Amino acid sequence: MKNNYNLRSHAAKAIGQVLDQGQSLSTILPALQKNISDKDRALLQELCFGTLRVLPQLEWCIQQLMAKPMTGKQRTLHYLLMVGLYQLLYTRIPPHAVLAETVEGAVALKRPQLKGLINGVLRQFQRQKEELLQRAANNESRYLHPGWLLKRIKQAYPANWEQIVDANNQKPPMWLRVNRLHHERAAYLQLLQEAGIAAEPHREYRDAIRLLAPCAVTDLPGFSDGWVTVQDASAQGCVDLLDPQDGEQILDLCAAPGGKTTHILEAAPKAQVMAVDIDEQRLAR
């Protein structure tokens, strides 16, 4: 990952676009994932989503390790540090590789003079990791929610706010939607079994399958031919409740990038569907 491409620096820039510019990772990542290997594409996605998922904890750790945060033009280096801490806490990447690649990210971000700072903070975290995690377990950063949101949840659900917060922090399962124009769900489950991919059907939604362990979409039978797509079960349930029929006129608002639109047309190929969205980038997708 030399040749001027550094995955960690791209993750840091993407996180900055989310936090400072209010953009969505779903619109930022596709462009960043072009022209890189499937393995690197998956790692970039994990670094971005993972860092943002545990943001309060990472922010708290950096506050303990640095006298003052990096601001202004150096802000992206603050996000690079977060990416480094996330790897040390939540991935199986060897620590020496984490440090080497994250420090090299400072060069890719045109701040080579800060390599020593990035290296020093990450090494200090390694030395103090157990102590910091024990202290973090006693403050609200452990809930991994912004303070304003945690306050609102506590006020609205005083009896069970902790269960709600815990549920929010669970990693979502990987759900597939079988294209019923190609296969019935039972037939596709058989294909998954033959491919050695463990899965189970949803109890209510007719096209939904949950993978017991996530996998690369390229491993899914017929993915490139449209036999199946990745879509959360709750989104699939919308179309089951709609129960579209051939010949109906259906208006799909806020439709991009088109998951429910295509599901409607798989369920009712002869329906007249108009899909509308305000976001040109999402429409293109």
Side-chain angles (χ1 to χ4, degrees), residues 17-163:
Q17 287 177 275
V18 172
L19 297 179
D20 297 335
Q21 300 173 27
Q23 296 192 43
S24 168
L25 270 183
S26 62
T27 58
I28 297 169
L29 273 178
L32 293 177
Q33 291 174 315
K34 285 181 179 177
N35 305 319
I36 62 176
S37 68
D38 287 342
K39 183 179 178 182
D40 284 350
R41 194 175 297 128
L43 178 56
L44 180 61
Q45 181 166 314
E46 167 66 14
L47 294 180
C48 291
F49 277 101
T51 299
L52 289 170
R53 186 180 292 117
V54 297
L55 193 71
Q57 183 190 47
L58 301 178
E59 284 280 22
W60 183 87
C61 287
I62 290 176
Q63 288 172 11
Q64 313 312 305
L65 295 167
M66 299 181 70
K68 58 180 181 179
M70 288 180 281
T71 57
K73 292 182 179 179
Q74 296 181 353
R75 190 64 180 165
T76 309
L77 276 296
H78 181 84
Y79 302 135
L80 181 65
L81 268 177
M82 286 185 172
V83 171
L85 293 180
Y86 175 77
Q87 294 169 88
L88 292 172
L89 278 168
Y90 292 104
T91 73
R92 296 180 180 178
I93 302 170
H96 71 271
V98 170
L99 265 69
E101 287 294 341
T102 307
V103 168
E104 199 61 31
V107 179
L109 293 169
K110 298 182 171 56
R111 293 288 186 277
Q113 68 275 22
L114 294 177
K115 286 175 64 176
L117 174 65
I118 300 296
N119 184 61
V121 172
L122 292 180
R123 288 189 181 279
Q124 185 182 353
F125 174 76
Q126 283 185 289
R127 290 192 295 269
Q128 300 180 16
K129 179 179 174 181
E130 297 308 319
E131 177 202 342
L132 284 170
L133 292 181
Q134 286 179 2
R135 288 167 55 199
N138 295 314
N139 65 61
E140 290 199 337
S141 70
R142 73 184 187 274
Y143 294 120
L144 307 181
H145 279 56
W148 65 267
L149 179 56
L150 193 61
K151 182 179 178 181
R152 294 278 298 271
I153 294 174
K154 285 181 176 181
Q155 289 174 343
Y157 305 98
N160 53 0
W161 65 270
E162 287 186 279
Q163 295 98 307

